[in-house]
Amino acid sequence: MNVEIVEDYPALSATVAQRVIDTLTRKPNALICIAGGDTPLGVFDALVRASEKGKVDFSHAAFVGLDEWLGLGKADKGSCREMVWGHFFSRLTLRDEQICFFDGLTTDPAQECRRVDRFISEHGGIDTIVLGIGMNGHIGFNEPGAAIDTECHVVDLDEVTQSVSVKYFGQARDVKQGISLGMKTILAAKSVIVMASGEKKAAIVARTLRSDIDASIPATLLKNHPQVQMLVDKPAATQL
């Protein structure tokens, strides 16, 4: 896994944003997936600023969501949909057909998975996917023990994931399941970027890089990918 260490979070965000811009420069109608959560917020800001300055054109691009908490929707603080819309999509001029995002309020999760799988297939697969890494090594909601051959699927959330969820919601929520792109879908992306920031991620970054491929640390499954980069800031690299 190729590792690049940058000075700090602003530099990390700018570097990842530039990789996305490079993809769209090469392929204006690329399919992009960027994770929700705290880590990519700086990337969203950098991409919006680049769009405002005419440095990137999103008019032909398509976007697919990575994951969502089942039972939460766009109006719920801390849902993946709320974070990505609030910090990114709503700040751009995009058409509805450019975006496919999991509906956490669906009454038919299996059908929702098929809908997202179909969108990805119709766009020729994901061109660039930007991922965070969970404290337990999860990628999206692919938790420890994740199978490598899954597409979009419903996941029983690990206790670690449930415990850290309060930072997004501001209060305890009964979230026991998520819906997510599977490892097969992620590994089929043409380019994979994993970003990690802060000392709190230093241990899992080091563990991922030093471990063999092992489903108990889902991030190590990305080592099977020929075009995967891990971009970290100096605080997240302190145990390397």
Side-chain angles (χ1 to χ4, degrees):
M1 186 180 289
N2 181 43
V3 182
E4 184 175 339
I5 301 170
V6 299
E7 184 66 27
D8 52 22
Y9 181 70
L12 175 64
S13 299
T15 301
V16 173
Q18 187 59 53
R19 303 291 163 85
V20 174
I21 293 169
D22 290 344
T23 296
L24 289 166
T25 300
R26 292 191 302 268
K27 184 180 179 181
N29 65 340
L31 177 58
I32 305 295
C33 178
I34 304 178
D38 293 337
T39 304
L41 294 183
V43 178
F44 294 145
D45 283 341
L47 288 173
V48 170
R49 290 195 302 270
S51 176
E52 291 171 346
K53 294 177 181 178
K55 295 182 178 180
V56 63
D57 179 7
F58 292 114
S59 64
H60 300 289
F63 298 92
V64 65
L66 175 63
D67 52 17
E68 185 57 282
W69 312 88
L70 271 182
L72 299 185
K74 187 177 177 182
D76 291 296
K77 174 179 168 52
S79 72
C80 300
R81 193 178 186 116
E82 185 263 344
M83 293 191 78
V84 176
W85 246 268
H87 291 275
F88 190 45
F89 293 151
S90 67
R91 300 167 65 189
L92 301 173
T93 303
L94 299 173
R95 303 178 305 279
D96 290 344
E97 62 266 25
Q98 289 180 261
I99 304 169
C100 179
F101 211 97
F102 288 112
D103 179 6
L105 298 177
T106 180
T107 58
D108 190 343
Q111 174 61 29
E112 188 68 4
C113 287
R114 289 192 292 270
R115 181 181 70 85
V116 176
D117 282 335
R118 186 166 58 251
F119 184 88
I120 293 171
S121 177
E122 289 171 349
H123 287 79
I126 297 170
D127 290 285
T128 292
I129 186 167
V130 177
L131 304 164
I133 180 171
M135 300 295 288
N136 60 0
H138 76 200
I139 295 295
F141 280 146
N142 294 284
E143 301 283 20
I148 202 165
D149 60 351
T150 54
E151 296 182 325
C152 296
H153 62 302
V154 175
V155 184
D156 292 327
L157 298 176
D158 185 78
E159 289 183 4
V160 173
T161 303
Q162 293 183 50
S163 68
V164 301
S165 67
V166 68
K167 73 176 183 178
Y168 301 119
F169 309 138
Q171 59 180 330
R173 298 288 297 261
D174 186 22
V175 286
K176 299 193 181 305
Q177 288 188 311
I179 188 168
S180 179
L181 302 189
M183 292 305 303
K184 180 179 179 180
T185 304
I186 292 169
L187 288 168
K190 297 174 183 67
S191 172
V192 177
I193 299 170
V194 185
M195 57 184 302
S197 174
E199 289 187 15
K200 67 183 182 299
K201 294 293 177 71
I204 191 59
V205 166
R207 188 179 174 206
T208 297
L209 294 174
R210 291 171 181 159
S211 297
D212 293 330
I213 295 172
D214 185 344
S216 68
I217 313 171
T220 64
L221 300 177
L222 298 172
K223 294 181 179 184
N224 284 312
H225 197 285
Q227 293 292 332
V228 59
Q229 297 176 309
M230 178 175 278
L231 297 172
V232 301
D233 59 17
K234 284 186 176 179
T238 53
Q239 294 189 29
L240 298 181

